[in-house]
């Protein structure tokens, strides 16, 4: 009994060169995933930006500095919660663990500017300079995202630079523009880059 030609072709071994190329591609992909934090959440960023726009409108209605500050601190806690939860969910969905060396470097680069912002918030509120806080927050958040973005996708790094530029501009803007600059940064930039990250980097 003679074997079918089609059957004979199907059991032929894969050429060694093809297997080597496949293995090399797999290794490169694995190394790239391990050296870059790809779980920065795009849709989470869109949601964070949306709550910031609402917070900016609500904060602009507050007459007292303490109440204005309370609105933005509540928004900061909410945004951090949304971002953290979305990042964990995306990491789980994409199989990109956060505990890698790149993940630790990302967190280590993000935290110091945020802590500096917390200290400056208390200091400026104490001396009655809450009008300077929008510029400080935008600049330091941008610094945190820019430095952490060195260990993530390129869009994150660029978003951080945009925040830094907006923060620098806010320092020289009229004090009454603070909430709108915050809406443009924590709202507009976060939403715009959130959509970009979601479309290009899997959610």
């Amino acid at each position: 009994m003679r074997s079918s030609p089609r059957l004979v072709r199907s059991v032929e071994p894969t050429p060694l060169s093809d297997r080597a190329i496949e293995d090399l591609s797999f290794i490169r992909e694995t190394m790239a995933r391990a050296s870059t934090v790809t779980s920065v959440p795009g849709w989470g960023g869109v949601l964070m930006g949306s709550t910031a726009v609402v917070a900016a409108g609500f904060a602009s209605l507050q007459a007292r500095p303490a109440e204005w500050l309370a609105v933005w601190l509540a928004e900061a806690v909410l945004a951090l919660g949304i971002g953290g939860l979305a990042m964990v969910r995306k990491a789980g969905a994409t199989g990109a663990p956060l505990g890698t060396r790149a993940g630790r470097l990302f967190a280590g680069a993000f935290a110091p500017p945020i802590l500096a912002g917390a200290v400056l918030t208390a200091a400026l509120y104490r001396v009655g300079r809450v009008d300077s806080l929008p510029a400080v927050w935008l600049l330091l958040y941008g610094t945190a995202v820019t430095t952490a973005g060195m260990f993530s996708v390129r869009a994150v790094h660029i978003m951080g630079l945009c925040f830094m530029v907006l923060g620098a501009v806010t320092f020289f803007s009229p004090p009454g523009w603070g909430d709108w600059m915050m809406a443009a940064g924590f709202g507009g930039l976060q939403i715009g880059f959130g959509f970009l990250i979601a479309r290009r980097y899997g959610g």
Side-chain angles (χ1 to χ4, degrees):
M1 182 176 180
R2 297 178 60 185
S3 301
S4 166
R6 180 175 299 176
L7 179 60
V8 171
R9 283 197 299 271
S10 66
V11 297
E12 289 180 351
T14 304
L16 185 59
S17 60
D18 291 350
R19 292 183 57 185
I21 291 173
E22 291 176 0
D23 291 344
L24 185 58
S25 298
F26 175 78
I27 292 170
R28 284 177 175 171
E29 183 180 346
T30 302
M31 291 179 66
R33 289 165 66 89
S35 62
T36 303
V37 176
T38 57
S39 51
V40 174
W43 295 124
V46 172
L47 184 56
M48 290 165 64
S50 301
T51 61
V53 171
V54 174
F58 194 58
S60 68
L61 301 176
Q62 307 306 312
R64 297 179 180 177
E67 295 168 348
W68 177 89
L69 182 60
V71 171
W72 279 114
L73 290 180
E75 163 58 20
V77 172
L78 177 62
L80 286 175
I82 293 172
L85 180 61
M87 195 167 190
V88 170
R89 291 189 64 180
K90 183 174 179 180
T94 59
L98 296 173
T100 62
R101 182 173 181 274
R104 293 192 296 273
L105 290 172
F106 183 95
F110 185 82
I114 298 300
L115 292 176
V119 173
L120 284 173
T121 297
L124 290 172
Y125 177 75
R126 184 170 177 270
V127 299
R129 291 300 309 274
V130 293
D131 57 314
S132 297
L133 287 176
V136 171
W137 289 342
L138 288 165
L139 183 61
L140 289 180
Y141 180 75
T143 303
V145 175
T146 299
T147 53
M150 298 295 291
F151 309 101
S152 184
V153 295
R154 183 175 175 80
V156 176
H157 182 69
I158 296 174
M159 180 175 71
L161 292 175
C162 291
F163 265 99
M164 292 183 70
V165 170
L166 187 60
V169 171
T170 305
F171 269 115
F172 301 98
S173 299
W177 291 13
D179 287 319
W180 307 117
M181 299 300 270
M182 296 268 281
F186 292 109
L189 286 177
Q190 200 78 61
I191 291 173
F193 278 94
F195 273 116
L196 177 66
I197 292 170
R199 289 177 60 88
R200 291 193 177 181
Y201 303 102

